[in-house]
Amino acid sequence: MKSSQSLELRNPDQDVFFMRQALALAEEALYVPSPNPRVGCVIVRNAQVIGRGATQAVGSHHAEIMALHDMQARGLNAEGATVYITLEPCSHHGRTPPCVDALIMARPERVVFAHFDPNPHVAGRGMRLLREAGIEVNVGVCADLALAVNPGFVSRMTRGVPYVWMKIAASLDGRTALSNGVSQWITGLEARADGHHWRARSCVVLTGIGTVRADDPQMNVRHVATVRQPRRAVIDPGFEISEDAAILKGEGAIIFTGDQNAEKYARLTDRGVQVVYVPEESAPVAGRVRRRVDMRAMMKWLGEHDTNEVHIEAGSGLNGALLNADCVDELLVYLAPVLLGEGMGMAQLPALTKLEGVQRFEFTDLKQLGADVRLRARLPEHWRELMQKIHLTEYTTGQAL
Amino acid sequence: MKSSQSLELRNPDQDVFFMRQALALAEEALYVPSPNPRVGCVIVRNAQVIGRGATQAVGSHHAEIMALHDMQARGLNAEGATVYITLEPCSHHGRTPPCVDALIMARPERVVFAHFDPNPHVAGRGMRLLREAGIEVNVGVCADLALAVNPGFVSRMTRGVPYVWMKIAASLDGRTALSNGVSQWITGLEARADGHHWRARSCVVLTGIGTVRADDPQMNVRHVATVRQPRRAVIDPGFEISEDAAILKGEGAIIFTGDQNAEKYARLTDRGVQVVYVPEESAPVAGRVRRRVDMRAMMKWLGEHDTNEVHIEAGSGLNGALLNADCVDELLVYLAPVLLGEGMGMAQLPALTKLEGVQRFEFTDLKQLGADVRLRARLPEHWRELMQKIHLTEYTTGQAL
């Protein structure tokens, strides 16, 4: 049925308008469905939204099913409607039945999704099945915004490693602590709460043994409400962590170590702490040799263990090592309006003699948070790679399928 | 004459609307009238602008005269009109006749200005003369925005010293240069051009002998078009500057020194360089004693010599000394999206052992400039003091006059 009303919906501005509503639903679920992607869905007929849904916690309904239920609860059906989804609907039996089947049953006139399933083995299959069922499909509306909602899921599916951001709170002159280590509180309440928002959306909060020893942090989510706590992980090459460390309390703590200590291992694993051996490499840092786990091997392990997004909150030594190993995609920097002069820096990096060739991030967002500001900056090469993975042209035209 | 149209103009929103137009005119003249304030004026009748003007270069017309001329050139007069001015009109014979006389001759129904003449000896006199001539006067519309256009003029008139900002270009982790001194170019073209905008609006660009020795900068305005170059000043306690230094070329260079050298003095003053002896103080900085001129005495000299705004562009040693002497009102920080690790800091400051009591600026503006960001942060105590000077309640009510 091609009515004039439904043709009206081919308007690209309207597609963007409704896809943004679906994205807003996905963002509302930011803390919830991990390791599944956050997905939003709106069903639209005659420019009216007749169903809305977002992905629920793991094992429960996906966004499309929620939106179809919402529509049915209003006593409506999908005839002549367009379904906007922020991700290609799933076509396989996972923890839930395939959403494509439910969509085909509902028989909308058209399905629009932001980007393909990033899993290259299934990408495009949802589209093909819908088209074979006679449903019109359009792909690529707001793909960049949808990637920003699920960079970790896309990264894990396409690169095999999580999407990683590094949180740093510092003075305007880049000092994260005074020379004597005092750092509480350079930035204020709003910045701290925002930091907890980023913890809450992550799968794993990662820090180093130095920070654990100095501050004994819990590294959990407290300043925002969440239904799910991320796992906490410590990089501890020498397996030196105190078994009383606050970060080991609660479920799902991880220790990445290069050291063997069978008794300590047994005691901790008995308590539910996951101790992961990672190959070690020794690296000269700031003049002395430090033990380091292989950062890339660690990220690969995380990617293999359902980790979409990693939130790093560590000291300058570990920050430098992670940056140096190219394990960081984005910086999340909170700056307070103070100058401290002396103090700890953001990251220990190899000394440079020239500025040519220095790795340049790109600022994506500036925001005032109380008295402080937040700057987000990402590595453009990493982002471009992810964008390319979800923009495969043979899929978007549908010719190759 | 109180028509319904003119009463309609008593609407506070309309007052703000037209005062913002006058402020925009003042901002267009940002580089021009120094050491006079930048003033804008619009004449409005029946919600229509019938005259616009801004202060011209020193010795030429003020904004009110320009707006009256503009109105007359359109064959109109000020009967029943409201005149919006960003500053109280002058009432004394300076380089030009008093604007108050011209306004009284033009006979508008009402005059609205943003704030009083900051000179406490004449503040309120313009208002009184207008009222005595039967013209209604309102004061205080957009006073904060008007102060932001002329913080230096207000500062000089009320505190006897200029309004001072410190420009710093750095990496995201606060490094202004690599450890070997390389700093060109951490930030990009847009940030550099914006820096020249701030040079262009200043009366004096101030740097230190260290920067002159290291980079031999010109410190003039090149990346924006200007009809007026600021003076360039070097703090050179030991009077060590090379007489070939680029900063001494052109008119109006100043050297602040604590050293006597009659022959060098004679040679430089012959060329038109102004050499100013400033009391010296020795200060231990970063472990060693450095010669320092008395920063506050220097600022007082600048205030006494027609300096409204000072643009500091110096190294971390001098930055620290100026901050420490409480000679800085605002930070103008450009950050590039790179992490450098090692390198020069923004300012050498006395080591702190705790964060309580550290001097806090307040962010007033965040802006993306090409690949970089600009953060402005001012000292709230300094700003409040200036706001208080132009907000004297006995003036705004007019009761005491």
Side-chain angles (χ1 to χ4, degrees):
Chain A
M1 189 198 89
K2 302 248 177 196
S3 68
S4 62
Q5 286 94 339
S6 63
L7 276 174
E8 182 197 337
L9 291 181
R10 301 291 183 288
N11 181 330
D13 288 345
Q14 282 207 20
D15 279 352
V16 169
F17 180 80
F18 290 116
M19 188 58 84
R20 279 179 173 273
Q21 294 197 17
L23 284 163
L25 291 169
E27 276 173 3
E28 283 174 26
L30 214 51
Y31 307 163
V32 178
S34 162
N36 285 340
R38 304 98 178 189
V39 180
C41 176
V42 298
I43 307 174
V44 176
R45 188 168 52 207
N46 297 345
Q48 298 285 324
V49 173
I50 59 172
R52 302 157 43 98
T55 317
Q56 304 299 297
V58 165
S60 184
H61 293 309
H62 289 186
E64 299 88 325
I65 308 302
M66 295 298 291
L68 289 169
H69 287 180
D70 180 36
M71 175 190 76
Q72 285 150 4
R74 303 177 197 211
L76 300 171
N77 64 55
E79 200 187 326
T82 298
V83 180
Y84 293 89
I85 324 170
T86 60
L87 182 66
E88 183 179 21
C90 67
S91 54
H92 59 285
H93 281 268
R95 298 182 186 87
T96 59
C99 292
V100 160
D101 293 0
L103 285 169
I104 290 171
M105 294 263 292
R107 303 222 56 76
E109 182 172 314
R110 190 165 71 114
V111 171
V112 179
F113 52 86
H115 63 76
F116 287 95
D117 187 326
N119 184 335
H121 302 298
V122 295
R125 200 155 166 257
M127 177 177 76
R128 197 175 55 219
L129 291 170
L130 290 168
R131 284 189 174 162
E132 281 169 8
I135 298 168
E136 188 184 341
V137 179
N138 294 112
V139 189
V141 176
C142 302
D144 49 344
L145 298 176
L147 175 58
V149 175
N150 288 306
F153 180 74
V154 172
S155 173
R156 177 164 68 90
M157 288 293 158
T158 60
R159 304 189 301 182
V161 292
Y163 187 83
V164 179
W165 58 80
M166 179 173 282
K167 183 237 172 186
I168 300 171
S171 64
L172 184 49
D173 57 343
R175 304 307 186 173
T176 59
L178 300 180
S179 299
N180 63 5
V182 167
S183 67
Q184 291 173 324
W185 303 101
I186 290 177
T187 49
L189 252 174
E190 290 87 346
R192 286 206 293 287
D194 190 74
H196 278 233
H197 157 73
W198 287 87
R199 282 187 189 178
R201 66 171 283 179
S202 76
C203 297
V204 170
V205 175
L206 179 68
T207 190
I209 183 66
T211 298
V212 169
R213 239 186 330 232
D215 305 335
D216 193 25
Q218 302 178 64
M219 290 292 179
N220 57 3
V221 179
R222 297 183 303 279
H223 296 308
V224 296
T226 182
V227 295
R228 181 190 62 84
Q229 284 284 346
R231 302 184 73 177
R232 289 96 47 229
V234 189
I235 301 177
D236 180 13
F239 206 6
E240 304 163 62
I241 194 166
S242 157
E243 292 175 43
D244 297 325
I247 200 166
L248 301 179
K249 300 204 167 79
E251 275 171 49
I254 307 169
I255 299 170
F256 291 108
T257 184
D259 216 85
Q260 308 273 344
N261 178 333
E263 285 178 26
K264 192 170 183 177
Y265 177 92
R267 281 195 304 274
L268 286 167
T269 49
D270 274 359
R271 284 169 52 186
V273 176
Q274 190 163 12
V275 181
V276 182
Y277 291 114
V278 183
E280 225 178 327
E281 47 181 20
S282 62
V285 177
R288 60 204 177 96
V289 174
R290 286 211 194 159
R291 294 179 69 176
R292 291 260 178 249
V293 304
D294 179 335
M295 301 295 173
R296 298 177 71 90
M298 176 187 70
M299 289 300 174
K300 197 154 178 296
W301 185 93
L302 285 167
E304 285 161 358
H305 290 78
D306 275 355
T307 311
N308 292 340
E309 297 176 352
V310 172
H311 172 102
I312 297 169
E313 211 166 315
S316 63
L318 185 52
N319 282 351
L322 284 158
L323 286 160
N324 234 357
D326 198 24
C327 288
V328 179
D329 299 301
E330 184 167 329
L331 303 173
L332 183 65
V333 177
Y334 301 86
L335 296 178
V338 295
L339 297 177
L340 296 180
E342 307 274 298
M344 312 284 187
M346 291 185 182
Q348 285 174 26
L349 293 167
L352 296 171
T353 55
K354 55 192 179 70
L355 284 163
E356 289 79 21
V358 66
Q359 191 169 45
R360 291 202 168 252
F361 290 77
E362 66 182 7
F363 288 116
T364 56
D365 189 32
L366 314 179
K367 193 176 179 183
Q368 187 136 9
L369 286 168
D372 308 313
V373 295
R374 186 190 73 193
L375 307 176
R376 289 176 62 193
R378 68 187 176 204
L379 276 180
E381 298 80 13
H382 289 198
W383 192 257
R384 248 192 319 270
E385 185 191 346
L386 295 179
M387 278 299 287
Q388 280 163 359
K389 302 279 188 190
I390 58 166
H391 256 136
L392 301 172
T393 46
E394 67 268 33
Y395 292 145
T396 44
T397 62
Q399 296 309 310
L401 298 166
Chain B
M1 192 199 87
K2 304 248 175 194
S3 69
S4 62
Q5 288 94 338
S6 63
L7 276 172
E8 181 198 339
L9 291 182
R10 301 293 182 287
N11 181 331
D13 288 346
Q14 283 208 19
D15 279 352
V16 169
F17 179 79
F18 289 116
M19 187 59 83
R20 279 179 174 275
Q21 295 198 15
L23 284 163
L25 290 169
E27 277 172 2
E28 283 174 26
L30 214 51
Y31 307 162
V32 178
S34 163
N36 284 341
R38 303 99 180 188
V39 181
C41 177
V42 298
I43 307 174
V44 176
R45 189 167 54 204
N46 297 346
Q48 298 285 324
V49 173
I50 59 172
R52 302 154 46 97
T55 316
Q56 304 300 297
V58 164
S60 184
H61 294 310
H62 289 186
E64 300 89 324
I65 308 303
M66 294 299 291
L68 288 169
H69 285 181
D70 180 36
M71 176 190 76
Q72 286 150 4
R74 302 178 198 212
L76 301 170
N77 65 56
E79 200 187 329
T82 297
V83 180
Y84 292 90
I85 322 170
T86 60
L87 181 67
E88 183 178 21
C90 67
S91 54
H92 59 285
H93 281 268
R95 296 185 187 86
T96 58
C99 292
V100 161
D101 293 0
L103 285 169
I104 290 172
M105 292 264 291
R107 303 221 57 76
E109 182 171 314
R110 190 164 72 111
V111 172
V112 179
F113 52 87
H115 65 75
F116 287 96
D117 187 325
N119 184 336
H121 302 297
V122 295
R125 198 153 168 259
M127 177 176 77
R128 197 174 57 218
L129 292 170
L130 290 167
R131 284 189 175 162
E132 283 169 7
I135 297 168
E136 188 184 342
V137 179
N138 294 113
V139 190
V141 176
C142 303
D144 49 342
L145 298 177
L147 175 58
V149 175
N150 288 305
F153 180 73
V154 172
S155 174
R156 177 164 67 91
M157 287 293 159
T158 61
R159 306 188 300 183
V161 293
Y163 187 83
V164 179
W165 59 80
M166 180 174 279
K167 183 238 173 183
I168 300 171
S171 63
L172 184 49
D173 57 344
R175 305 307 186 173
T176 58
L178 299 181
S179 300
N180 63 4
V182 167
S183 67
Q184 288 173 327
W185 305 100
I186 291 177
T187 49
L189 252 175
E190 291 86 345
R192 285 207 294 286
D194 190 75
H196 278 232
H197 158 73
W198 288 88
R199 283 187 188 176
R201 64 170 283 177
S202 75
C203 297
V204 170
V205 175
L206 179 68
T207 191
I209 183 67
T211 299
V212 169
R213 236 184 333 230
D215 304 334
D216 194 25
Q218 303 179 62
M219 289 294 179
N220 57 3
V221 179
R222 297 182 304 278
H223 295 308
V224 295
T226 182
V227 295
R228 182 190 61 83
Q229 284 285 345
R231 302 183 73 175
R232 289 95 48 229
V234 189
I235 301 178
D236 180 13
F239 206 6
E240 304 163 62
I241 193 166
S242 157
E243 292 174 45
D244 296 327
I247 199 167
L248 301 180
K249 301 205 167 79
E251 275 173 50
I254 307 171
I255 299 170
F256 292 109
T257 184
D259 216 85
Q260 310 272 346
N261 179 334
E263 282 178 29
K264 191 170 185 177
Y265 177 93
R267 280 195 304 274
L268 286 166
T269 49
D270 273 0
R271 282 171 51 187
V273 175
Q274 191 163 13
V275 181
V276 182
Y277 290 114
V278 184
E280 227 178 325
E281 48 182 22
S282 63
V285 178
R288 59 203 177 97
V289 175
R290 285 212 195 159
R291 294 179 71 178
R292 289 263 179 246
V293 302
D294 179 335
M295 301 294 173
R296 298 177 71 90
M298 176 187 69
M299 289 300 174
K300 197 154 176 298
W301 185 93
L302 285 166
E304 285 161 357
H305 290 78
D306 276 356
T307 312
N308 292 340
E309 297 176 351
V310 172
H311 172 103
I312 297 170
E313 211 165 315
S316 63
L318 185 52
N319 282 352
L322 285 158
L323 287 160
N324 234 0
D326 199 23
C327 287
V328 178
D329 299 300
E330 185 168 329
L331 303 173
L332 182 65
V333 177
Y334 301 86
L335 296 178
V338 294
L339 298 176
L340 296 180
E342 308 273 297
M344 311 284 187
M346 290 186 183
Q348 284 174 26
L349 293 166
L352 296 170
T353 55
K354 55 193 178 69
L355 283 163
E356 289 80 19
V358 66
Q359 191 169 46
R360 290 201 170 254
F361 290 77
E362 65 182 9
F363 288 117
T364 57
D365 189 32
L366 314 179
K367 193 176 180 182
Q368 188 137 7
L369 286 168
D372 307 313
V373 295
R374 186 191 74 193
L375 307 175
R376 289 176 62 192
R378 68 186 175 204
L379 276 181
E381 299 78 14
H382 290 199
W383 192 257
R384 252 194 315 272
E385 185 191 344
L386 295 179
M387 278 298 286
Q388 280 162 2
K389 302 280 189 188
I390 58 165
H391 255 138
L392 300 173
T393 48
E394 68 269 29
Y395 292 143
T396 43
T397 63
Q399 296 308 311
L401 298 167

